[in-house]
Amino acid sequence: MTLLEQRQDTRQEALLEEAIGIGDDIIDSRDLDLLRENANLNGESFSGKMSKLGSEYSKWYARHFTLPPRLTHAVRENIVYVHDLDQYVIGTTNCIFIPFERLLREGFNTGNGSVRPPNSIMTAMALTAIIFQSQQNAQYGGVSGSKLDHDLAPYVAKSFAKFFRKGLDYFGEGQAAEVEGEIAMGRTDLAAAYPQAFRYAMKETESETLQGAESLIHNLNTMSSRAGGQIPFTSINYGTCTSPEGQLVIASLLTATMNGLGSGETPVFPIQIFKCKQGINQQPGDPNYELFLKAAECSARRLYPNFANLDAPLNLAYYDPADPDTEFATMGCRTRVLGDRFGRNRCSGKGNLSFNTLNLVRLGIRHGMVTGQREEADEQGFYDDLDHYMEIALEGLVHRYRIQCAQKAKASDFMMREGVWEGGEVLGPEDPVGDLLKHGSLSIGFIGIAECMKAMYGRHHAEDPDIHAKAVAVVRRMRDFCDRKSEELDLNITLFATPAEGLSGKFTKIDRSELGAIPGVTDREYYTNSFHVPVYYELGAARKISLEAPFHELCNAGAISYVELNGNARSNPGAFVKIIRYALEQNVSYFSINHPIDRCSACGHEGVIGTNCPSCGAHEEEVHIRRLRRVTGYLTGDYQTRFNTAKQAEVRDRVKHL
């Protein structure tokens, strides 16, 4: 046997051993962190394991046979991470904003049958859930509606007109044919001329809209459609429609959320985002101001909605008051795709294609002073390495993009056939989708700016103003790189504040095993999310917001900031609103407030529960206490059973920003 043949045999044996190990870890539940990478999936269920087997072997194939060599090496160095690697080789895309307005207006086909346009808000809400479900099967990331209040308002109007006509006949006030003009909720002349029919129509429409909102939220929490038994990863944005019909949609969604699910549980999905805009809902006298206050109340009780800042400078770049689809909206954990160098500077009909993340901590350790190998940080070496690995991360994104572009329209059937991705409806089943995907974004993400600064300078960015400036400079360097490469490659290259759910522990585990437990850097089970202040660092809410705010303008692929409150959030709505307002004033683009929500399965009590339920006295060893927490932008049923160990450790370390 030649030396080459011996090497080939050795490699084949290593590949086989690795493949067997992957299967055993999943089948025997030996690696719970692997099974809990996605907190939205029960990885220990039959369907979860089946999904994970396919996912992990797809990753294995990509690592060994598909990735560019430089990217493979950077991944092995633990500096670059390829998100959703299991989808790489088949060319699936990440996430999308769905054009609900057009799909509901024109009807659609799920592939098994066609659906007519709805004639009531109840039906429209039901079809919205079906569209979410159908689109989720065509991709791997989040699905979102950017302006659901605007999209659903016409169907509230249809319901009102239906009930008004019925009321005219029922109360004997006249015939519908006698009514001039369009029948609408905002017509005070109709209220004066036909008072009984108008009141009846209003009451029935309000009831039907609330029932529709309840059905939408219940459906999106119960209809499993993703591989492994996941429910669709859905987001809805609303808050700016000022018509009576749109206002009723907003109010009904908030009421249904506050009411909870069948037994009063807090809904995990959809992720809800209230869009804040001066002149619309931010000051007393604004048409939707009371809805903003209701949104804050709902968030204080149910953790949703989060709050999007339409007035942040980054989000005003493409804003057209006449087109609600140009309003900033987000999806999933924080994704933003508003800008498009090819002219589609709006949300619906496109999304993010893929993203790769850089481990800034590893670079900080390599060039910093924390290891004691140098007296001061090697900033030039750090930036040279940063540029080098950004090039590699981008090389991987472009390589993956070429695979995605080569796919045929029939591979993402619903998305392309129904024009969910704008323009897909004109393609034939065999046509490649490349010319359409250019409107999407390719994103470079980052994690651990706090630990990076600690490794470089001995302090993180919340501990020293000079270090904070250096942290901002690092992120600005990354944004400048993305902007420059967008011009060079004529693609939408953007910078992402990575919502590191499973990654926060993966990077750390490898770095600690190879470099040791470095105090303040690798000595915890996780790295800090993107540019956030470490969760264990004690400071006030206003200070945390002001420290993180400058990074939002730089992260044009998406970012979010949080503050952590104690269990009194529900009983202090004034303070809740004040914190939201301060974040908006600081130009935070996307914001939310965390607070613990525990639920006793014995009596249904919700609030902060220790070892004993304060309502019925049940002990946590006797009954299940469901402890709801937010992870990277969305909620999970119980962080103790769904979060991986790194995220569980992060939750335990979270201090309150009082």
Side-chain angles (χ1 to χ4, degrees):
M1 181 180 292
T2 66
L3 180 60
L4 177 61
E5 290 172 333
Q6 289 176 341
R7 288 177 175 173
Q8 289 174 337
D9 283 349
T10 301
R11 182 173 185 270
Q12 289 174 354
E13 290 178 3
L15 287 173
L16 180 60
E17 184 177 349
E18 181 184 358
I20 293 173
I22 290 171
D24 289 346
D25 283 348
I26 296 168
I27 294 169
D28 299 332
S29 299
R30 297 191 313 200
D31 188 344
L32 290 181
D33 280 348
L34 179 66
L35 295 175
R36 295 176 180 176
E37 281 185 334
N38 182 350
N40 187 33
L41 166 67
N42 180 5
E44 297 174 71
S45 67
F46 291 135
S47 60
K49 287 182 178 180
M50 189 68 241
S51 172
K52 201 62 180 171
L53 279 170
S55 171
E56 290 304 311
Y57 281 121
S58 181
K59 293 178 184 178
W60 176 82
Y61 183 93
R63 282 194 300 268
H64 293 292
F65 305 110
T66 308
L67 297 186
R70 289 207 308 167
L71 180 59
T72 300
H73 183 67
V75 170
R76 288 173 179 165
E77 289 183 289
N78 204 40
I79 296 175
V80 178
Y81 183 81
V82 180
H83 290 269
D84 301 291
L85 180 60
D86 52 344
Q87 304 288 335
Y88 196 115
V89 297
I90 57 176
T92 327
T93 55
N94 182 9
C95 55
I96 196 168
F97 285 102
I98 298 174
F100 282 104
E101 187 275 332
R102 184 178 59 77
L103 291 175
L104 292 173
R105 173 170 45 83
E106 298 178 0
F108 56 92
N109 191 314
T110 64
N112 297 311
S114 59
V115 178
R116 293 188 298 271
N119 285 312
S120 71
I121 186 58
M122 177 70 81
T123 306
M125 291 278 197
L127 294 186
T128 296
I130 291 172
I131 292 169
F132 268 133
Q133 184 182 38
S134 299
Q135 174 56 29
Q136 186 68 92
N137 293 322
Q139 51 163 92
Y140 61 83
V143 284
S144 182
S146 66
K147 52 181 181 65
L148 204 64
D149 46 350
H150 291 272
D151 295 337
L152 292 176
Y155 305 98
V156 176
K158 286 179 179 291
S159 287
F160 179 80
K162 173 187 65 177
F163 289 122
F164 183 78
R165 294 187 187 97
K166 184 177 179 180
L168 287 176
D169 181 61
Y170 184 78
F171 293 105
E173 290 186 321
Q175 299 295 321
E178 300 172 359
V179 180
E180 296 182 359
E182 182 181 5
I183 298 172
M185 291 172 61
R187 288 189 58 182
T188 56
D189 61 320
L190 295 184
Y194 312 99
Q196 294 185 90
F198 194 90
R199 283 195 300 270
Y200 169 78
M202 286 293 293
K203 182 178 180 180
E204 292 298 312
T205 303
E206 289 169 356
S207 176
E208 186 177 82
T209 305
L210 178 58
Q211 290 178 39
E214 289 174 338
S215 71
L216 174 63
I217 291 172
H218 279 70
N219 280 332
L220 295 182
N221 280 275
T222 56
M223 57 181 199
S224 298
S225 65
R226 299 182 73 185
Q230 294 184 71
I231 56 178
F233 197 92
T234 54
S235 304
I236 56 175
N237 295 257
Y238 53 77
T240 61
C241 186
T242 57
S243 71
E245 293 82 4
Q247 290 172 332
L248 183 56
V249 170
I250 300 167
S252 299
L253 288 167
L254 292 170
T255 298
T257 303
M258 285 192 279
N259 289 344
L261 300 179
S263 297
E265 311 99 310
T266 293
V268 171
F269 283 106
I271 300 169
Q272 299 185 43
I273 302 103
F274 188 89
K275 300 195 289 187
C276 302
K277 183 76 182 74
Q278 291 291 338
I280 293 179
N281 54 36
Q282 287 301 289
Q283 302 296 330
D286 287 351
N288 286 6
Y289 179 68
E290 294 301 321
L291 291 171
F292 167 66
L293 296 182
K294 185 170 184 174
E297 177 190 0
C298 184
S299 188
R301 292 180 57 184
R302 298 296 190 181
L303 286 166
Y304 287 149
N306 305 337
F307 297 90
N309 186 0
L310 274 59
D311 293 306
L314 176 69
N315 299 330
L316 287 175
Y318 306 106
Y319 175 62
D320 177 0
D323 183 0
D325 207 21
T326 64
E327 297 172 352
F328 165 60
T330 186
M331 69 175 80
C333 303
R334 63 198 63 180
T335 305
R336 177 186 185 279
V337 297
L338 186 56
D340 175 18
R341 64 186 295 105
F342 302 103
R344 291 183 185 171
N345 297 311
R346 56 188 184 275
C347 290
S348 297
K350 62 179 182 177
N352 178 257
L353 300 171
S354 60
F355 66 102
N356 293 338
T357 288
L358 267 62
N359 179 0
L360 296 182
V361 188
R362 187 80 176 214
L363 299 184
I365 296 170
R366 179 182 292 181
H367 298 284
M369 54 188 289
V370 73
T371 58
Q373 296 180 0
R374 56 176 62 89
E375 294 184 359
E376 62 180 23
D378 175 16
E379 293 186 354
Q380 186 58 52
F382 172 85
Y383 277 117
D384 288 345
D385 252 4
L386 180 62
D387 291 344
H388 172 69
Y389 287 104
M390 283 194 292
E391 289 280 2
I392 293 174
L394 180 58
E395 178 187 343
L397 290 173
V398 174
H399 177 259
R400 187 173 189 170
Y401 173 68
R402 301 304 177 200
I403 296 174
Q404 292 169 328
C405 287
Q407 301 309 306
K408 296 178 180 179
K410 64 183 180 182
S412 50
D413 194 18
F414 182 80
M415 180 167 72
M416 291 299 168
R417 185 189 66 245
E418 300 304 312
V420 178
W421 194 286
E422 186 174 340
E425 68 276 11
V426 303
L427 298 179
E430 301 294 328
D431 292 339
V433 299
D435 193 51
L436 300 182
L437 294 190
K438 68 182 181 182
H439 297 283
S441 61
L442 304 170
S443 302
I444 296 176
F446 64 94
I447 186 175
I449 195 74
E451 290 83 4
C452 175
M453 294 296 101
K454 194 81 171 182
M456 289 283 285
Y457 307 108
R459 298 178 303 282
H460 61 67
H461 59 312
E463 295 178 306
D464 187 312
D466 292 336
I467 305 304
H468 183 269
K470 291 180 182 296
V472 172
V474 169
V475 178
R476 182 174 290 112
R477 175 81 163 232
M478 298 184 74
R479 171 62 186 276
D480 289 344
F481 174 88
C482 292
D483 289 348
R484 185 170 68 254
K485 291 301 178 178
S486 291
E487 294 297 324
E488 292 178 10
L489 300 175
D490 197 26
L491 290 170
N492 294 311
I493 313 297
T494 53
L495 182 62
F496 194 43
T498 297
E501 181 184 332
L503 182 57
S504 65
K506 287 181 180 178
F507 271 159
T508 315
K509 185 176 182 179
I510 295 173
D511 285 349
R512 186 170 58 242
S513 68
E514 295 179 356
L515 305 172
I518 303 170
V521 182
T522 62
D523 57 344
R524 297 180 185 268
E525 294 185 59
Y526 56 90
Y527 287 151
T528 298
N529 196 326
S530 58
F531 55 72
H532 290 180
V533 173
V535 298
Y536 50 82
Y537 186 70
E538 295 190 6
L539 75 173
R543 178 66 176 153
K544 185 177 191 294
I545 290 168
S546 63
L547 286 169
E548 295 181 2
F551 295 96
H552 282 254
E553 180 75 14
L554 299 172
C555 298
N556 60 337
I560 190 171
S561 284
Y562 316 97
V563 296
E564 195 86 18
L565 300 184
N566 60 24
N568 293 324
R570 292 184 170 198
S571 59
N572 196 348
F576 209 87
V577 170
K578 187 175 182 180
I579 293 171
I580 297 168
R581 286 190 183 282
Y582 183 77
L584 299 176
E585 291 167 1
Q586 295 300 305
N587 290 326
V588 168
S589 181
Y590 185 35
F591 180 71
S592 195
I593 298 177
N594 289 339
H595 52 92
I597 296 181
D598 301 330
R599 182 178 179 83
C600 174
S601 62
C603 68
H605 173 79
E606 281 194 339
V608 179
I609 302 176
T611 55
N612 291 86
C613 174
S615 178
C616 70
H619 193 277
E620 65 178 356
E621 293 182 356
E622 302 170 337
V623 300
H624 177 59
I625 306 298
R626 182 176 182 255
R627 304 189 187 278
L628 189 69
R629 302 294 185 270
R630 193 192 313 272
V631 53
T632 66
Y634 68 97
L635 307 182
T636 64
D638 189 336
Y639 87 92
Q640 296 169 311
T641 59
R642 288 297 184 94
F643 283 17
N644 56 61
T645 55
K647 278 299 177 184
Q648 287 186 37
E650 186 217 83
V651 170
R652 291 193 297 269
D653 288 349
R654 291 178 184 179
V655 299
K656 308 302 180 186
H657 305 116
L658 301 177

